[in-house]
Amino acid sequence: MAKKLQYVCNACGASASKWAGQCDSCGEWNSITEEKPLSEGSSSKSIGAKRGGHVDLTDLSTDEAPPPRTMSGMDELDRVLGGGLVPSSAILVGGDPGIGKSTVLLQAAAQFASNGLKTIYISGEEASAQVRMRAQRLGLKDAPVKLGAETNLRDILTTLEAEKPQLAIIDSIQTMWVDTVDSAPGSVSQVRAAAHELTSFAKRKGVSVILVGHVTKDGQIAGPRVVEHMVDTVLYFEGERGHQFRILRAVKNRFGPADEIGVFEMTGAGLQEVKNPSALFLSERGEPSPGSVVFSGIEGTRPVLVEFQALVAPSPHSQPRRTVVGWDSSRLAMILAVLEARVGIPFAGLDVYLNVAGGMKVSEPAADLAVAAALLSAREDAALPKDTVVFGEISLSGALRSVSQTENRLKEAQKLGFSTAIMPKGDKAPATAGLTAKRYDDLTAFVGDIFGAG
Ligand code: TYD
Ligand code: MG
């Protein structure tokens, strides 16, 4: 049977069962038109013809002040959050187990609480006594943070509703259990349901919520990946187990720049902020040695100098090794191919190892030239001139392309006592006082000048 047609007045929105020349409700002439269903198909499968309520629409212009933010006083954390904690925001802190998520959040909770934010820390992994012992070890036992050890989300939400905190930390989302979902804690459906409940609670009640999520190396197991799109901010806590440096990286932030990093050092007394990461990453660098190149990089809004180390050795294998730590392995393959095809320097039959010192991860294409320089320096067994920094993107043609924030890169290099910068010619930024800029058009010119004819 054909669906009964609906008619609606375009002036006042009144609906009628048949067409008329004048609207009964508002008296407007020629305003009634036939109304099409909202979507095709049966209403059990699609939205169909049934109308919903009208959503209030507003203009883009607004006088609303930006949300007031609360600073923790830990600069490295505040910067990664985009300049402090935004009220009613939902934040996910992901990272490998044991990397220091609980430690940094307990320290942050203590700081926020001391700054007047009512803070509740719910641990689903450790008993309250364990958390208290850690707080004592970190020297935080007097901070006005309220602790709870619970995994039942219904109880947690009820408690939060009664206590009305301004910040709630849930450690971890994988241990939360929602009683309406029929699967084990840590399963994707439990994690998703718990995160949904908590983020919508944050918005409704004006509570900032920080969720801890464990990720495995490949980000697989019931990972917080399913949670990423529900929250406002996603921070990843990275670091190599053997190194004491930890990097808190914003990968998504609705209230600030993404790609911002905060650098910490894990010590016996918890995580200490590292105010000058360049100095730290370069601290163990000795005399210039073959294969070592300093790259002037940008992380978010901050310049960071890191050292690339390369080792090139004859390979005993039929398939030479390509091993990379802290940089993208397909990008390395690309640079090796460009060196071979455009400059005529082959790496066939040679094992190539590339490492970023200090456990830092670099993802900028601006590091291309530094990687190429490290590879060539290792292959030719010739160190780069002393006190030189390198940056620039390499295109497949072998040309050097300019990169962003050149001035910041140069300033940081100059500040740390470097005297020469090797960079693309296209970069028009004026050289910083005290720094000599060596500019090249393409890889061939660079290789010819620095390493002789190759
Ligand atoms: P933790 O915060 O429990 O990790 P996560 O919550 O990410 O699983 O950190 C555990 C590691 O940190 C553990 O190996 C010990 C180390 N640690 C220190 O080195 N110093 C400290 O003061 C603390 C509290 C932990
Ligand atoms: Mg933990």
Side-chain angles (χ1 to χ4, degrees), residues 141-420:
K141 63 183 169 48
D142 297 325
V145 180
K146 287 272 167 270
L147 279 185
E150 183 54 63
T151 57
N152 184 330
L153 196 67
R154 192 179 291 274
D155 293 349
I156 292 172
L157 290 178
T158 309
T159 310
L160 294 180
E161 200 164 347
E163 294 283 334
K164 299 193 174 44
Q166 289 157 299
L167 170 63
I169 296 176
I170 308 292
D171 186 3
S172 67
I173 191 73
Q174 272 101 347
T175 54
M176 290 298 123
W177 179 67
V178 184
D179 54 18
T180 53
V181 176
D182 195 15
S183 58
S187 63
V188 175
S189 46
Q190 279 286 359
V191 168
R192 191 184 287 138
H196 178 74
E197 289 290 341
L198 283 160
T199 48
S200 59
F201 180 84
K203 304 290 155 196
R204 262 185 297 124
K205 302 287 175 183
V207 181
S208 300
V209 174
I210 301 183
L211 310 174
V212 175
H214 295 294
V215 214
T216 53
K217 271 272 177 275
D218 47 357
Q220 282 303 318
I221 294 176
R225 287 287 142 90
V226 295
V227 181
E228 279 185 357
H229 70 273
M230 292 184 208
V231 296
D232 300 309
T233 302
V234 178
L235 309 180
Y236 273 96
F237 207 38
E238 316 172 334
E240 297 296 324
R241 207 59 76 87
H243 286 104
Q244 70 271 42
F245 313 128
R246 298 285 181 270
I247 290 159
L248 190 62
R249 188 186 293 274
V251 294
K252 162 182 171 178
N253 195 350
R254 287 184 182 147
F255 308 114
D259 284 333
E260 200 68 78
I261 64 165
V263 183
F264 297 88
E265 189 174 358
M266 182 62 99
T267 68
L271 288 150
Q272 304 287 333
E273 294 180 66
V274 175
K275 303 274 183 196
N276 190 346
S278 301
L280 180 98
F281 288 127
L282 299 182
S283 60
E284 281 159 38
R285 207 170 50 102
E287 282 301 294
S289 63
S292 151
V293 169
V294 177
F295 164 58
S296 188
I298 297 283
E299 295 290 341
T301 54
R302 186 164 60 163
V304 177
L305 301 192
V306 289
E307 182 190 355
F308 274 92
Q309 303 168 337
L311 177 67
V312 176
S315 179
H317 311 286
S318 58
Q319 183 99 36
R321 272 173 175 278
R322 303 285 184 252
T323 303
V324 193
V325 178
W327 167 254
D328 182 20
S329 56
S330 49
R331 197 99 197 159
L332 171 69
M334 191 195 96
I335 290 169
L336 290 173
V338 173
L339 282 173
E340 177 148 7
R342 304 295 178 196
V343 196
I345 301 177
F347 282 82
L350 296 171
D351 282 342
V352 174
Y353 301 89
L354 184 74
N355 177 37
V356 181
M360 178 76 181
K361 283 198 183 88
V362 178
S363 56
E364 270 190 289
D368 287 354
L369 188 57
V371 171
L375 295 172
L376 290 167
S377 158
R379 188 181 184 281
E380 305 299 315
D381 201 27
L384 241 59
K386 199 165 178 288
D387 294 336
T388 301
V389 295
V390 182
F391 60 87
E393 185 177 341
I394 298 176
S395 72
L396 287 181
S397 66
L400 300 186
R401 309 170 56 146
S402 50
V403 297
S404 62
Q405 303 199 40
T406 306
E407 282 190 65
N408 277 344
R409 295 177 201 268
L410 293 174
K411 261 196 210 123
E412 179 79 356
Q414 195 261 340
K415 209 169 81 191
L416 280 134
F418 287 84
S419 58
T420 310

Side-chain angles (χ1 to χ4, degrees), residues 96-103 134 137-138 171 214 266-270:
D96 296 345
I99 204 77
K101 299 181 294 299
S102 304
T103 308
R134 174 179 298 165
R137 186 165 147 204
L138 298 173
D171 186 3
H214 295 294
M266 182 62 99
T267 68

Side-chain angles (χ1 to χ4, degrees), residues 3-4 6 35-52:
K3 276 233 167 69
K4 212 167 155 241
Q6 278 259 331
E35 190 174 60
K36 304 252 175 5
L38 290 171
S39 64
E40 304 284 336
S42 71
S43 57
S44 64
K45 288 214 186 83
S46 63
I47 287 208
K50 191 162 174 280
R51 305 269 138 181

